Amino acid sequence: MQQDDCDYVWILNNDTIVEPDALAHLAAVFVRRARPYLADYCTIRSRLLFTKKYHPRCLPLVRLSLLLVMLRRLQRGQSDRIGMIWRLMLELSREIAHPLWKTHAAETAWYQRCTGR
């Protein structure tokens, strides 16, 4: 641990058995940092719902930050997520007065409208 110019540190127990290419796979995940589509959807939706419910005055700032998220997604080549983020921002500003769902079917239909899936 004397070296201070490294990007990552991997600490293992002394009895850990590691596959030969495990570190390469782990490093690839850190380099890509790509989230699954559904995780992106849930994270952004939760951020908007939380802000709308508890800090409504901060909602414009959150929307502005999501525009920056959309630019990052475009840089990463994840253009399919830009439409999803945009639809989430529009749907949540218009439709949801109370984020409590009466049925799972209603939430599923809303998710399909927002994601186009």
Side-chain angles (χ1 to χ4, degrees):
M1 303 289 276
Q2 299 282 331
Q3 188 176 354
D4 60 357
D5 63 341
C6 58
D7 292 328
Y8 304 103
V9 176
W10 194 17
I11 300 173
L12 301 170
N13 289 340
N14 60 354
D15 60 345
T16 303
I17 300 172
V18 179
E19 295 292 324
D21 58 347
L23 187 56
H25 288 293
L26 187 60
V29 169
F30 281 109
V31 169
R32 271 191 326 224
R33 292 187 182 183
R35 282 184 183 176
Y37 188 91
L38 185 59
D40 228 7
Y41 168 82
C42 291
T43 301
I44 292 168
R45 180 176 172 265
S46 295
R47 185 185 310 176
L48 286 165
L49 286 173
F50 179 85
T51 305
K52 186 171 184 170
K53 184 173 182 176
Y54 296 106
H55 305 286
R57 290 184 293 171
C58 297
L59 204 51
L61 185 60
V62 170
R63 287 190 179 122
L64 180 63
S65 74
L66 288 176
L67 291 175
L68 297 175
V69 169
M70 290 167 68
L71 286 174
R72 282 196 305 263
R73 297 299 182 264
L74 190 61
Q75 287 175 335
R76 292 181 188 167
Q78 298 173 327
S79 57
D80 61 325
R81 312 222 180 159
I82 294 171
M84 178 262 299
I85 296 168
W86 186 254
R87 283 188 296 272
L88 272 173
M89 289 192 315
L90 291 178
E91 289 285 325
L92 287 174
S93 64
R94 280 186 291 170
E95 218 172 84
I96 299 180
H98 304 285
L100 300 174
W101 297 98
K102 294 184 179 172
T103 65
H104 178 69
E107 185 173 4
T108 303
W110 186 82
Y111 168 78
Q112 289 170 344
R113 276 198 325 270
C114 287
T115 59
R117 293 180 179 204

